[in-house]
Amino acid sequence: MSNSIKDYAITTLASHTALQILKGAKDEGFKTIAICTPKSRRVYESYGVADEIIEIPTYQDYFKIESELIKKRAIMIPHGSFVSYLGHERVKNEAKVMYYGSKGILRWESDRRIERQWLKRAGVNVPKVFHDPKEIDRPAIIKFHGAAGGFGYFIAKSPEEFYEKIKEFPGQNEYVIQEYVVGVPMYVHYFLSPLTGELEIMSFDKRYESNADSIGRIAAKDQIGADIHTSYTITGNIPVVVRESMLPMFFEIGENVVRESKQLEGVPKGLYGPFCLEGIIDPNLNFRVFEISARIVAGTNPYTNGSPYSWLRYDEPMSTGRRLARDIKQGIEAGRLEDLLG
Amino acid sequence: MSNSIKDYAITTLASHTALQILKGAKDEGFKTIAICTPKSRRVYESYGVADEIIEIPTYQDYFKIESELIKKRAIMIPHGSFVSYLGHERVKNEAKVMYYGSKGILRWESDRRIERQWLKRAGVNVPKVFHDPKEIDRPAIIKFHGAAGGFGYFIAKSPEEFYEKIKEFPGQNEYVIQEYVVGVPMYVHYFLSPLTGELEIMSFDKRYESNADSIGRIAAKDQIGADIHTSYTITGNIPVVVRESMLPMFFEIGENVVRESKQLEGVPKGLYGPFCLEGIIDPNLNFRVFEISARIVAGTNPYTNGSPYSWLRYDEPMSTGRRLARDIKQGIEAGRLEDLLG
Amino acid sequence: MSNSIKDYAITTLASHTALQILKGAKDEGFKTIAICTPKSRRVYESYGVADEIIEIPTYQDYFKIESELIKKRAIMIPHGSFVSYLGHERVKNEAKVMYYGSKGILRWESDRRIERQWLKRAGVNVPKVFHDPKEIDRPAIIKFHGAAGGFGYFIAKSPEEFYEKIKEFPGQNEYVIQEYVVGVPMYVHYFLSPLTGELEIMSFDKRYESNADSIGRIAAKDQIGADIHTSYTITGNIPVVVRESMLPMFFEIGENVVRESKQLEGVPKGLYGPFCLEGIIDPNLNFRVFEISARIVAGTNPYTNGSPYSWLRYDEPMSTGRRLARDIKQGIEAGRLEDLLG
């Protein structure tokens, strides 16, 4: 393989975190290719992040243009929309383009039950799971598998309430019942370079969810009269910093999760690149983790020009998108690109 | 007219968004003039954004110093406080200073009924309006015309509740009754240069309203005991980014609003410069728009050094204040300043 | 004393705001020393902010290494954790290292009753205090002295409710009963250099408290069923800007507080360096102040690379940590370091 970044391009689907991925790649000197739909093209042109745009009717048409990407020696940066549009099995079994990250990890993050095993082995403080609705003895959140956009949730405090509310979701038999942890949501954005083995914390965010983040604006009595329910559709992200004394704990948890990822079946290189632990900080400062994303998350989007943390370490604008482009650049120049591809 | 920016100055009332307007103008090379009151002078001196300060007892005394501004070839950047202190009719009929933007648009944004016509013609998804209190069949918000600072609102879910609550606002007969949309507030900051005709999205914010953004901190049972009502006084703004997949929609809506503005009576040049669509993203990701501001909004203030979006396009600090100063600079240098003045 | 910053080092305990303090000091050209525990060391190495790390088993062991700091001509930057771990009396009576700030002020900020006298003399709008639980005639918050992390609070609306709820805090007899002000929290970050006497406003934040900032995400009816109480544990901070027309008031209040600090017993130099007023903006835009921090606060952590305000004045990245390092640098170079030490 070539040791010059001029012989490669960075590409991704034009959605999710593509703006920072493409901008970061350009800042590191790469040629960038945005895979757009007719509707999204306008956005990526406006922000000037793509040297080339390949247009497809819908993102499901991705495989029609993959050979073109391969010809251009493009390296695909997978993000949540890429995995979601193609499905983790097709990504693993059919995608042939150079791919940054461990493909095998996608199975572990896409199924909440095995994801939980991984986190527990890493000593992460996960919320209690109730295996039978009859066990519900405290506020619990019921999440449906594969439910998109945050609609597939409800809260129940007892078996009775569970059986009453599940009626609103006919035919949905795949769910988990999880302890509902009261505390503030916190999303931790990690980065691990396989070239150095060093774990970094890039930034933090909280999501901006409709309507969860606005029903509190309605006085309690008006809410009750209007019979308003909480929904969790992600609409955006808000920047946040954490209490500095919690950083040692966040580093430790991240390192434990990475260490255990190397034991997972089908993930020979373990977890690397950007990933995110998604949890709740309770009033005793415990970090209760309910999910891991084993790739770049949209919560890094407030930091296209660097975060309060990345500015400390880098002293130049360093988004998570740019950080991974730099990893690829250093891998190429060191003749170690293979170590970064999954 | 001169083609050198040295022959002009940028001015505005020292409030609202004046810090970024003046800083942005200085960054583009303009001389800046802040029109201060005795109380505000201190602030604009501290931040060093004004080359010259003209002090007036109150902002209502603006017309006493306008001739001085004209002599200095100052270009006025109108913001919410400018329009609010002077009134849109005086701005249109009496102000003689060079003015950035379409004066005729102020009438359309200042009257919610005709503003709504404009938005509907542009295909914008506006909340339902009830023309008679008897029609109220879902949570509705009643807003009084010209009510300042967010006090002139209440929520009613039925005709009965409407008639009960309106008693608290004696003599207030000018109001609109609007569907109360449950979802997260989102403010989209656009910019359109008449020189290029290209629409840009500069940034997003959410307001920080007292007490709407804090009553949710009080447990529901304590709220009910204390009989706390929601109020909507703007105290500041919080930065936010949107879900990237929504950007094509925001561009499209903005372009439709601009296109229709050219059909509005008394607005020959249409809407240009900075403007803002103010709405709610509901849990189905619909953007329900309740207002348009046809000039720079205070929601751009978190971004005096650039936003997560402007950094992508400009690669240098680009506040909305600086963006419009650049527009003026390019207009002057191209001999097209007239195209920018209303 | 030497007039060269090469002969000095900047040091602080590795927690709270140490990242920005050490980064800011490096940016100003100082050697930096982080005092770490075995757990925190990892963090300060990762962000590369410390030229030297001194490790101690726990922060209570600080005095064992103080002579080493003195030998290195280190200047200690006190922050909330430094004061909290050592106690304000030991800081005043036993600490011998060069110390940036007025030590005498710590007594005034650590006791809410005398702190309140100071604020009232400065004309600050403080919430009403009830001297006897029997006087409670509106929502009141009861705060225990020295309670860490936000657990030592409850809300009561009447004497009856007070006597009922206090039972949950057996043995806690030291408390204040304060009017519970409904409005949005706002934290104002000031800086005053004794070299120039000029007051600056660096930035604003709101805290991110568990669970206060998340209970509103639970629909009112679910909250009531689950019997959820509010707690106020600080987990982080969120950036915010204020309505620009409020800045003159914030400058005025800050100047009044500084002026009155010079009359306080045991504080010959008055308050200087970074400080913070912590309050609520009510729906009438009154700023009701409930506390002052007479040193750098964690609310400045979102701004390690500058804030929307500091970028206006400085045009280079200027965190509060860097601002105070610059003050020390200018003091050293002007032969006035003594003026900065307490």
Side-chain angles (χ1 to χ4, degrees):
Chain A
M1 284 202 230
S2 162
N3 283 6
S4 164
I5 68 167
K6 301 254 168 279
D7 295 325
Y8 298 89
I10 298 284
T11 190
T12 196
L13 294 199
S15 191
H16 192 273
T17 43
L19 287 170
Q20 62 160 305
I21 289 170
L22 300 171
K23 174 64 158 65
K26 278 181 78 79
D27 286 346
E28 291 299 307
F30 283 99
K31 177 175 187 290
T32 60
I33 303 170
I35 305 164
C36 290
T37 58
K39 282 212 136 196
S40 69
R41 176 178 200 118
R42 167 87 183 78
V43 173
Y44 297 83
E45 285 174 343
S46 178
Y47 292 113
V49 294
D51 294 314
E52 182 181 344
I53 287 178
I54 297 178
E55 198 178 299
I56 49 180
T58 73
Y59 291 128
Q60 279 78 10
D61 297 302
Y62 165 76
F63 283 106
K64 296 182 187 159
I65 55 95
E66 197 186 44
S67 61
E68 189 180 345
L69 294 175
I70 293 168
K71 226 175 297 165
K72 292 173 193 286
R73 303 180 65 82
I75 300 165
M76 170 63 66
I77 311 301
H79 50 51
S81 299
F82 180 78
V83 176
S84 157
Y85 282 121
L86 270 60
H88 70 93
E89 303 217 338
R90 294 192 77 189
V91 170
K92 185 157 188 219
N93 300 325
E94 300 177 33
K96 298 277 178 279
V97 73
M98 284 186 282
Y99 175 101
Y100 178 81
S102 272
K103 284 184 180 177
I105 209 83
L106 297 178
R107 188 174 73 90
W108 291 88
E109 66 144 35
S110 66
D111 180 330
R112 286 201 178 93
R113 276 168 291 204
I114 61 172
E115 174 188 271
R116 183 179 165 86
Q117 292 169 21
W118 169 20
L119 294 174
K120 284 182 84 168
R121 271 184 234 150
V124 171
N125 187 344
V126 295
K128 185 174 164 62
V129 163
F130 299 98
H131 297 287
D132 189 305
K134 295 195 185 70
E135 295 170 8
I136 299 174
D137 61 355
R138 68 194 81 174
I141 184 162
I142 291 82
K143 302 182 194 177
F144 295 99
H145 287 294
F151 283 100
Y153 297 82
F154 70 89
I155 294 171
K157 296 176 297 289
S158 63
E160 294 68 38
E161 197 174 347
F162 173 88
Y163 290 116
E164 185 57 35
K165 288 190 171 172
I166 192 95
K167 290 177 191 164
E168 295 170 36
F169 300 85
Q172 297 267 30
N173 301 316
E174 292 282 299
Y175 52 76
V176 288
I177 310 174
Q178 211 175 57
E179 175 189 1
Y180 185 75
V181 181
V182 180
V184 288
M186 185 68 79
Y187 294 75
V188 195
H189 315 143
Y190 294 96
F191 184 83
L192 181 94
S193 166
L195 304 176
T196 64
E198 186 186 350
L199 185 72
E200 303 170 31
I201 293 181
M202 301 300 293
S203 48
F204 298 83
D205 83 294
K206 71 192 217 68
R207 287 179 177 169
Y208 189 43
E209 291 173 330
S210 181
N211 64 13
D213 286 307
S214 66
I215 53 167
R217 292 167 49 92
I218 308 169
K221 67 180 162 42
D222 291 329
Q223 272 187 56
I224 288 167
D227 194 31
I228 291 169
H229 297 266
T230 301
S231 55
Y232 300 90
T233 304
I234 303 167
T235 65
N237 302 274
I238 293 173
V240 61
V241 297
V242 292
R243 193 172 173 144
E244 195 162 309
S245 58
M246 298 182 77
L247 286 173
M249 178 194 72
F250 286 121
F251 270 96
E252 193 182 341
I253 295 175
E255 282 164 349
N256 291 342
V257 167
V258 169
R259 190 191 62 240
E260 286 306 314
S261 74
K262 292 173 183 154
Q263 314 302 322
L264 300 178
E265 192 206 319
V267 194
K269 294 179 185 172
L271 173 66
Y272 62 85
F275 66 98
C276 177
L277 288 176
E278 313 181 0
I280 299 282
I281 303 178
D282 75 17
N284 295 304
L285 297 178
N286 298 306
F287 186 49
R288 312 291 307 274
V289 178
F290 50 82
E291 205 158 353
I292 184 168
S293 291
R295 31 86 199 160
I296 190 169
V297 292
T300 61
N301 283 339
Y303 307 116
T304 60
N305 193 49
S307 83
Y309 298 91
S310 71
W311 276 105
L312 297 170
R313 183 178 166 115
Y314 289 99
D315 233 354
E316 64 184 321
M318 187 58 65
S319 67
T320 292
R322 184 172 182 179
R323 181 65 190 85
L324 63 82
R326 179 163 295 183
D327 203 38
I328 296 171
K329 178 179 165 182
Q330 292 175 334
I332 289 170
E333 292 175 350
R336 293 181 58 190
L337 178 57
E338 273 303 335
D339 295 351
L340 306 177
L341 302 181
Chain B
M1 285 202 230
S2 161
N3 283 6
S4 164
I5 67 166
K6 302 254 170 276
D7 294 325
Y8 299 88
I10 298 284
T11 190
T12 195
L13 294 198
S15 190
H16 193 272
T17 43
L19 287 169
Q20 62 161 303
I21 289 171
L22 299 171
K23 174 64 158 64
K26 279 181 78 78
D27 286 346
E28 291 299 308
F30 283 99
K31 177 177 186 289
T32 60
I33 304 170
I35 305 165
C36 290
T37 58
K39 281 213 136 196
S40 69
R41 177 178 198 116
R42 168 87 184 77
V43 173
Y44 297 82
E45 285 173 344
S46 177
Y47 290 113
V49 294
D51 294 314
E52 182 183 343
I53 287 177
I54 297 179
E55 197 178 301
I56 49 179
T58 73
Y59 291 127
Q60 280 78 10
D61 297 301
Y62 165 75
F63 283 106
K64 295 182 188 159
I65 54 95
E66 197 187 44
S67 61
E68 190 180 343
L69 294 174
I70 292 168
K71 225 175 297 164
K72 291 172 193 286
R73 304 181 63 84
I75 299 166
M76 170 62 65
I77 312 301
H79 51 49
S81 299
F82 181 77
V83 176
S84 156
Y85 283 121
L86 270 58
H88 71 92
E89 303 216 339
R90 294 192 77 188
V91 170
K92 184 156 188 220
N93 301 324
E94 300 176 34
K96 299 277 178 279
V97 73
M98 285 184 281
Y99 174 102
Y100 178 81
S102 272
K103 284 184 181 177
I105 209 82
L106 298 178
R107 187 173 75 90
W108 291 89
E109 66 145 35
S110 67
D111 179 330
R112 286 201 179 92
R113 275 168 292 202
I114 61 171
E115 175 189 270
R116 182 178 166 85
Q117 292 169 19
W118 169 19
L119 294 174
K120 284 182 84 167
R121 270 184 235 149
V124 172
N125 187 343
V126 295
K128 185 175 164 59
V129 163
F130 300 97
H131 297 286
D132 189 306
K134 294 194 184 71
E135 295 171 7
I136 299 174
D137 61 356
R138 68 193 82 174
I141 183 161
I142 291 83
K143 303 183 193 175
F144 296 100
H145 286 294
F151 283 100
Y153 297 83
F154 70 90
I155 294 170
K157 295 176 297 289
S158 64
E160 295 68 39
E161 196 174 349
F162 173 89
Y163 291 115
E164 187 56 35
K165 288 189 170 172
I166 191 96
K167 291 178 192 165
E168 295 170 34
F169 300 86
Q172 299 265 31
N173 300 317
E174 291 282 300
Y175 52 75
V176 289
I177 309 174
Q178 210 174 59
E179 175 189 2
Y180 186 74
V181 181
V182 180
V184 289
M186 186 66 80
Y187 294 74
V188 195
H189 314 144
Y190 293 96
F191 185 82
L192 181 94
S193 166
L195 304 176
T196 64
E198 186 185 350
L199 184 73
E200 303 170 31
I201 293 180
M202 301 298 296
S203 47
F204 298 83
D205 83 295
K206 69 192 217 70
R207 289 178 175 168
Y208 190 41
E209 292 172 330
S210 181
N211 63 15
D213 285 307
S214 66
I215 54 167
R217 292 165 50 92
I218 309 170
K221 68 182 159 43
D222 292 329
Q223 272 187 55
I224 288 167
D227 194 30
I228 291 168
H229 297 266
T230 300
S231 55
Y232 300 90
T233 304
I234 303 166
T235 66
N237 303 274
I238 293 173
V240 61
V241 297
V242 292
R243 193 170 175 147
E244 196 160 308
S245 58
M246 298 182 77
L247 286 173
M249 179 195 69
F250 286 121
F251 270 96
E252 192 182 341
I253 295 175
E255 281 164 351
N256 291 342
V257 167
V258 169
R259 190 192 60 238
E260 286 306 314
S261 73
K262 291 171 185 157
Q263 313 302 323
L264 300 179
E265 192 207 318
V267 195
K269 294 180 186 172
L271 174 66
Y272 63 86
F275 66 99
C276 177
L277 288 176
E278 314 180 1
I280 298 282
I281 303 179
D282 75 17
N284 295 305
L285 296 178
N286 298 306
F287 186 49
R288 312 291 308 273
V289 178
F290 49 82
E291 206 159 351
I292 183 168
S293 291
R295 31 88 199 158
I296 189 169
V297 292
T300 60
N301 283 338
Y303 307 116
T304 61
N305 193 51
S307 83
Y309 298 91
S310 71
W311 277 103
L312 296 170
R313 182 178 166 113
Y314 289 99
D315 232 354
E316 65 184 319
M318 187 57 66
S319 68
T320 293
R322 184 173 183 179
R323 181 65 189 85
L324 64 83
R326 179 163 295 182
D327 203 37
I328 295 171
K329 179 179 165 181
Q330 292 174 334
I332 289 169
E333 293 175 348
R336 295 182 57 189
L337 178 56
E338 273 304 334
D339 295 351
L340 306 177
L341 302 181
Chain C
M1 285 202 227
S2 162
N3 283 7
S4 165
I5 68 166
K6 302 253 168 279
D7 294 326
Y8 299 88
I10 298 284
T11 190
T12 196
L13 295 198
S15 191
H16 192 271
T17 43
L19 287 169
Q20 62 160 302
I21 289 170
L22 299 171
K23 173 64 158 65
K26 278 181 78 78
D27 285 345
E28 291 298 308
F30 283 100
K31 177 177 187 288
T32 60
I33 305 171
I35 306 165
C36 290
T37 57
K39 280 212 138 196
S40 69
R41 176 178 201 118
R42 167 87 182 78
V43 174
Y44 296 83
E45 285 174 345
S46 177
Y47 291 113
V49 293
D51 294 314
E52 182 182 344
I53 286 177
I54 298 179
E55 197 178 301
I56 50 179
T58 74
Y59 291 127
Q60 279 79 11
D61 296 301
Y62 164 76
F63 283 107
K64 295 180 187 159
I65 54 97
E66 196 186 44
S67 61
E68 189 181 343
L69 294 175
I70 292 168
K71 224 174 297 164
K72 292 173 193 287
R73 305 181 63 82
I75 299 166
M76 171 62 67
I77 311 301
H79 51 49
S81 300
F82 180 77
V83 175
S84 157
Y85 283 121
L86 269 60
H88 71 93
E89 303 217 338
R90 294 192 77 189
V91 169
K92 184 156 189 220
N93 301 324
E94 300 176 34
K96 298 278 178 280
V97 74
M98 284 185 283
Y99 174 101
Y100 179 81
S102 272
K103 284 184 180 177
I105 209 83
L106 297 178
R107 188 174 74 89
W108 291 88
E109 65 144 36
S110 67
D111 179 331
R112 286 202 178 92
R113 275 169 291 203
I114 62 171
E115 175 189 89
R116 183 178 165 85
Q117 291 169 21
W118 169 19
L119 294 175
K120 283 183 83 167
R121 271 184 233 150
V124 172
N125 187 345
V126 296
K128 185 175 164 60
V129 163
F130 299 98
H131 296 286
D132 190 305
K134 295 195 185 69
E135 294 170 8
I136 298 174
D137 61 355
R138 69 194 81 175
I141 183 161
I142 291 81
K143 302 183 193 175
F144 296 100
H145 287 294
F151 283 100
Y153 296 82
F154 70 88
I155 293 171
K157 295 176 297 290
S158 63
E160 294 69 38
E161 196 174 349
F162 174 89
Y163 291 115
E164 187 56 36
K165 288 190 169 171
I166 192 95
K167 289 178 191 164
E168 295 170 34
F169 300 86
Q172 297 266 30
N173 300 316
E174 293 282 301
Y175 52 76
V176 288
I177 309 174
Q178 210 176 59
E179 176 190 359
Y180 185 76
V181 181
V182 180
V184 289
M186 185 67 79
Y187 295 74
V188 195
H189 315 143
Y190 293 97
F191 185 83
L192 181 94
S193 165
L195 304 175
T196 63
E198 187 186 349
L199 184 72
E200 302 169 32
I201 293 180
M202 301 300 293
S203 47
F204 297 82
D205 83 294
K206 70 190 217 71
R207 288 178 176 169
Y208 190 42
E209 292 173 330
S210 180
N211 62 13
D213 285 307
S214 67
I215 53 167
R217 292 166 49 92
I218 308 170
K221 68 182 160 45
D222 292 329
Q223 273 187 55
I224 289 167
D227 194 31
I228 291 169
H229 298 266
T230 300
S231 55
Y232 300 91
T233 304
I234 303 168
T235 66
N237 302 273
I238 293 173
V240 62
V241 297
V242 293
R243 194 171 173 144
E244 196 162 308
S245 58
M246 298 183 76
L247 286 172
M249 180 196 70
F250 285 121
F251 270 96
E252 192 182 341
I253 295 175
E255 281 164 349
N256 291 342
V257 166
V258 169
R259 190 191 63 239
E260 286 307 313
S261 74
K262 292 173 183 154
Q263 314 301 323
L264 300 178
E265 193 206 317
V267 194
K269 293 179 187 172
L271 173 65
Y272 63 86
F275 66 98
C276 177
L277 287 177
E278 313 181 0
I280 298 282
I281 303 179
D282 75 17
N284 295 305
L285 297 179
N286 298 306
F287 186 50
R288 313 290 308 272
V289 179
F290 49 82
E291 206 159 351
I292 183 168
S293 291
R295 31 87 199 159
I296 190 169
V297 292
T300 60
N301 283 339
Y303 307 116
T304 61
N305 193 49
S307 82
Y309 298 92
S310 72
W311 277 104
L312 296 170
R313 183 178 165 113
Y314 288 100
D315 233 354
E316 64 184 321
M318 187 57 66
S319 67
T320 293
R322 184 173 183 179
R323 182 64 190 87
L324 62 82
R326 179 163 294 181
D327 203 38
I328 295 170
K329 178 180 166 182
Q330 292 175 334
I332 289 169
E333 293 175 349
R336 293 182 59 190
L337 178 56
E338 273 303 334
D339 295 351
L340 305 178
L341 302 180

